[in-house]
Amino acid sequence: MHRYTLRIPEILWKRVKVEAEARGLFISEMLIELIEKGLLKIYDEEAKYGKIKSKQVDSE
């Protein structure tokens, strides 16, 4: 498994933490769920509207 450093705003981190606790999940499980659902939403939008332009991120 790979490990990546996340840089997210404090308010977002708190919301994820509270939601994970409410669902009885580890924070890492909650983040995985959010990423998976976010990707599915992106795929749905691409299917409806065509390719969505995104920022190109340079790998570190």
Side-chain angles (χ1 to χ4, degrees):
M1 180 183 289
H2 299 285
R3 290 182 179 231
Y4 299 97
T5 302
L6 293 176
R7 296 182 185 133
I8 60 174
E10 184 69 25
I11 189 73
L12 182 57
W13 176 256
K14 287 179 182 178
R15 291 173 66 185
V16 169
K17 185 177 177 183
V18 166
E19 188 64 28
E21 289 173 356
R23 293 174 181 231
L25 299 172
F26 291 112
I27 293 173
S28 59
E29 294 170 328
M30 187 69 198
L31 290 171
I32 290 168
E33 185 176 332
L34 289 168
I35 291 167
E36 288 173 348
K37 288 187 178 187
L39 285 172
L40 290 174
K41 179 156 178 69
I42 289 169
Y43 296 154
D44 287 343
E45 289 177 359
E46 286 180 346
K48 287 181 186 176
Y49 308 113
K51 183 80 172 154
I52 297 172
K53 293 182 180 180
S54 61
K55 293 181 182 179
Q56 188 157 3
V57 178
D58 296 330
S59 59
E60 294 179 10

